[in-house]
Amino acid sequence: MQAKDIMTSDVVSISPAAEIRHAVAVMMQNNISGLPVVEDGGRICGIVTEGDLLLRREIRLAPRSARHAEVTSDVDLDRYIRGNGWSVRDIMSRDVIVAGPDSEVSDIAESLEVHRIKRIPIVEGGRLVGIVSRRDILALITDAPTLRLPREDDAILLAVRTRLKYDLGLTPQRIRVSVRNGQITLEGNLESDLQRRAVLALVENLGSGGCLDRLQIAADPGPEDRSQRT
């Protein structure tokens, strides 16, 4: 799936010359936490978010103390401008991470996670054509079809073994899987509880009718049915 399949095309944006109070009003009216900043002609030049507004002088209840009053370094100057500037241009982030309409959604999701951002503008020919937010990507989870195992025991066994091997690198020698009347039993020795949880997550994600967990962790006291999952 690509960005053009899920992006919002009717993007609410703002001019770099706009007043900061106007930018805040636009965000609140549209229930959004960030705005692409667009120059005349539709070219994106920055982005302004709620995070960019946290240092505003309007928020501070009292002036900074005298020992912090002197503005000397570039960091101090940038902080002062962000707190006291009048226009969006003064506070917007200029290094904007963008993607194209044909970008894979999985790549966009990874960029959102790596850079700890909430949205990525979609640009074509330098011009803003859409935006993809975390919420747009999260919607894919609810819309995704639920995976279901086949009903026959042999087919269930094959499906579970295949996923264990290719998803987690666990062969039948490591994890013994048996199926009877649709119920999956897992046996074997694992290196950690985290690995065990990954195995159980894999089986549960397949939509099985039930899973009997007889997996053991290194240094476990002995075999024991830990849980009966239905």
Side-chain angles (χ1 to χ4, degrees):
M1 185 171 291
Q2 298 177 325
K4 60 188 176 186
D5 298 318
I6 67 168
M7 70 182 188
T8 299
S9 299
D10 187 15
V11 185
V12 179
S13 62
I14 199 161
S15 165
E19 186 179 357
I20 288 171
R21 290 192 178 190
H22 176 61
V24 173
V26 171
M27 283 193 279
M28 295 181 69
Q29 289 167 5
N30 291 276
N31 193 29
I32 54 179
S33 60
L35 289 168
V37 185
V38 177
E39 298 176 318
D40 293 341
R43 292 190 173 273
I44 187 167
C45 61
I47 194 164
V48 59
T49 70
E50 291 172 338
D52 296 317
L53 298 160
L54 296 180
L55 298 179
R56 294 296 302 171
R57 58 179 174 77
E58 294 90 345
I59 298 172
R60 295 197 297 268
L61 299 180
R64 300 173 71 188
S65 61
R67 67 188 181 90
H68 293 302
E70 186 178 1
V71 176
T72 56
S73 70
D74 288 348
V75 173
D76 289 332
L77 289 170
D78 181 70
R79 186 183 181 97
Y80 180 85
I81 292 170
R82 287 181 175 275
N84 295 272
W86 175 87
S87 69
V88 168
R89 183 182 289 107
D90 293 325
I91 66 167
M92 70 182 187
S93 299
R94 299 174 185 273
D95 297 328
V96 186
I97 296 170
V98 301
D102 296 331
S103 298
E104 293 295 327
V105 170
S106 57
D107 293 334
I108 293 176
E110 185 171 351
S111 293
L112 291 173
E113 196 278 330
V114 168
H115 297 284
R116 296 291 190 269
I117 54 179
K118 295 183 178 180
R119 64 198 61 78
I120 287 185
I122 307 303
V123 174
E124 188 171 28
R127 300 189 178 193
L128 181 68
V129 295
I131 196 163
V132 172
S133 69
R134 290 180 180 178
R135 183 167 296 184
D136 295 323
I137 293 177
L138 291 178
L140 297 177
I141 297 176
T142 58
D143 295 339
T146 302
L147 296 175
R148 290 296 175 190
L149 287 172
R151 295 183 178 182
E152 299 77 13
D153 287 353
D154 289 345
I156 294 174
L157 178 62
L158 178 61
V160 173
R161 282 180 173 174
T162 300
R163 288 288 300 273
L164 284 171
K165 179 179 179 180
Y166 288 101
D167 286 15
L168 300 177
L170 295 172
T171 63
Q173 289 72 35
R174 295 285 308 280
I175 300 291
R176 296 184 298 279
V177 183
S178 58
V179 183
R180 183 175 181 180
N181 297 327
Q183 184 181 67
I184 301 168
T185 299
L186 301 171
E187 298 177 281
N189 297 308
L190 297 176
E191 298 171 0
S192 67
D193 184 62
L194 191 64
Q195 192 175 43
R196 170 181 166 268
R197 287 167 55 194
V199 170
L200 296 177
L202 181 151
V203 174
E204 290 168 352
N205 190 50
L206 289 173
S208 67
C211 176
L212 185 60
D213 173 16
R214 289 179 174 168
L215 297 169
Q216 296 184 53
I217 312 302
D220 261 6
E224 179 179 314
D225 291 355
R226 295 185 185 83
S227 63
Q228 176 74 35
R229 295 171 178 261
T230 59

